[in-house]
């Protein structure tokens, strides 16, 4: 995952797929509830626009971003919702235009970033490729919420590889944000590639071959889990090791406070 151009191309494709879900919506459909409590379709797109703007600020004015990050630390339970509320209050056409313009500016800045540049973020600082991957992960996850709200079915793509990768990269962060000590040894992922993305039975692998603990199962399930779009009980993932099983219960690919995640399907 070391080529920013390739990740940025995939980020653009992911954004355009979500854009296609909402661009022709009637005004009332923007108010459709999504699986996230109190968030409508408009909130989901507003959040993407808001986080793109935050990433652009981090990439162009680290000092100003640091001030915004301090505000987030002062109100960890509200700053994400507040940003979504502000954007969701806009007329849909204005919100959509804001999201499109912001993501294009961010794309250009990240593509032009000198090699080795690192940007501040709400979690650890990120390289251009990691920040682009994080934006792709969020775009995919919130796009899933939009699709669920609209009853749309999205076909999995090879872009899920980025989501799985950043989910594993964020393993130690998921522990730290909960005040827990992460395992000392790395994990290995062996994930079955979704049908239609590669030859049947193809597997994506991450982590050392001799890792003492491994997670196996569908790549889509892992991506839904690390973005907290599915409960552990509703996946076909298998943990080989106690630490790996513990991680599957707390995994999060996104920065910020530990999320509550989804309830099991039977409890909804």
């Amino acid at each position: 995952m070391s080529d920013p151009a390739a990740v940025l191309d995939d980020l653009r494709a992911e954004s355009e797929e979500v854009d296609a879900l909402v661009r022709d919506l009637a005004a009332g459909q923007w108010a459709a509830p999504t699986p996230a409590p109190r968030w409508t379709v408009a909130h989901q797109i507003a959040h993407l626009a808001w986080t793109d703007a935050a990433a652009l600020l981090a990439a162009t004015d680290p000092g100003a971003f640091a001030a915004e990050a301090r505000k987030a630390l002062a109100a960890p339970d509200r700053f994400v919702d507040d940003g979504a509320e502000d954007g969701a209050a806009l007329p849909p056409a204005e919100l959509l235009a804001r999201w499109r313009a912001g993501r294009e500016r961010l794309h250009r800045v990240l593509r032009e970033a000198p090699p080795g540049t690192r940007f501040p973020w709400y979690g650890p600082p990120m390289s251009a490729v990691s920040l682009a991957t994080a934006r792709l992960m969020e775009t995919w996850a919130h796009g899933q919420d939009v699709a669920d709200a609209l009853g749309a079915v999205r076909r999995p793509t090879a872009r899920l590889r980025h989501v799985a990768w950043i989910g594993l990269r964020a393993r130690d962060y998921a522990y730290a944000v909960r005040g827990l000590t992460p395992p000392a040894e790395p994990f290995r992922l062996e994930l079955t590639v979704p049908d239609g993305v590669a030859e049947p039975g193809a597997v994506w692998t991450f982590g050392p071959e001799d890792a003492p603990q491994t997670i196996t199962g569908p790549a889509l399930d892992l991506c839904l889990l690390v973005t907290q779009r599915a409960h552990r009980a509703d996946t076909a993932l298998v943990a080989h090791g106690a630490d790996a099983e513990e991680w599957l219960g707390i995994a999060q690919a996104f920065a910020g406070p530990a999320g509550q995640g989804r309830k099991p399907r039977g409890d909804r």
Side-chain angles (χ1 to χ4, degrees):
M1 301 297 175
S2 59
D3 183 0
V7 181
L8 285 165
D9 288 344
D10 282 349
L11 171 57
R12 173 168 281 163
E14 193 66 40
S15 298
E16 289 174 350
E17 182 175 297
V18 178
D19 195 307
L21 287 172
V22 300
R23 64 189 175 209
D24 295 324
L25 292 182
Q29 291 176 292
W30 284 86
T34 68
R38 300 179 302 281
W39 276 32
T40 66
V41 169
H43 284 85
Q44 299 289 348
I45 300 303
H47 176 72
L48 291 177
W50 179 80
T51 43
D52 281 346
L56 182 63
L57 190 64
T60 57
D61 192 341
F65 176 80
E68 290 300 312
R70 287 192 292 271
K71 294 178 184 178
L73 289 173
D77 297 328
R78 285 297 311 164
F79 81 98
V80 171
D81 285 341
D82 288 347
E85 285 286 352
D86 290 344
L90 296 172
E94 184 177 344
L95 172 58
L96 194 53
R98 177 180 292 187
W99 176 43
R100 288 169 173 167
R103 74 190 196 225
E104 186 58 35
R105 287 195 295 270
L106 177 62
H107 182 100
R108 185 169 59 252
V109 167
L110 293 181
R111 189 175 288 275
E112 295 172 355
T117 302
R118 297 189 70 79
F119 305 107
W121 197 235
Y122 297 105
M126 288 188 168
S127 65
V129 68
S130 291
L131 189 54
T133 304
R135 297 308 310 127
L136 190 155
M137 174 272 298
E138 283 235 31
T139 301
W140 178 80
H142 290 282
Q144 186 62 48
D145 291 338
V146 171
D148 288 343
L150 300 174
V153 177
R154 296 195 300 171
R155 292 175 59 88
T157 73
R159 298 189 296 272
L160 288 179
R161 186 178 179 89
H162 301 299
V163 181
W165 176 81
I166 201 168
L168 182 61
R169 281 290 299 269
R171 186 200 73 168
D172 289 2
Y173 180 81
Y175 280 86
V177 79
R178 291 166 173 80
L180 303 173
T181 301
E185 300 292 336
F187 295 163
R188 180 171 175 81
L189 301 183
E190 297 178 356
L191 305 174
T192 306
V193 182
D195 291 343
V197 172
E199 294 297 320
V203 174
W204 287 334
T205 60
F206 306 88
E209 292 185 12
D210 60 351
Q213 304 201 41
T214 303
I215 293 102
T216 60
L220 178 59
D221 284 10
L222 190 282
C223 293
L224 290 168
L225 185 74
V226 299
T227 56
Q228 297 191 353
R229 265 57 189 180
H231 189 275
R232 168 77 178 95
D234 294 325
T235 72
L237 298 168
V238 178
H240 305 269
D243 289 341
E245 181 62 51
E246 179 185 44
W247 176 62
L248 291 180
I250 64 172
Q252 68 176 70
F254 52 87
Q260 295 180 351
R262 298 281 192 265
K263 294 180 180 179
R265 289 195 188 105
D267 294 346
R268 296 175 195 170

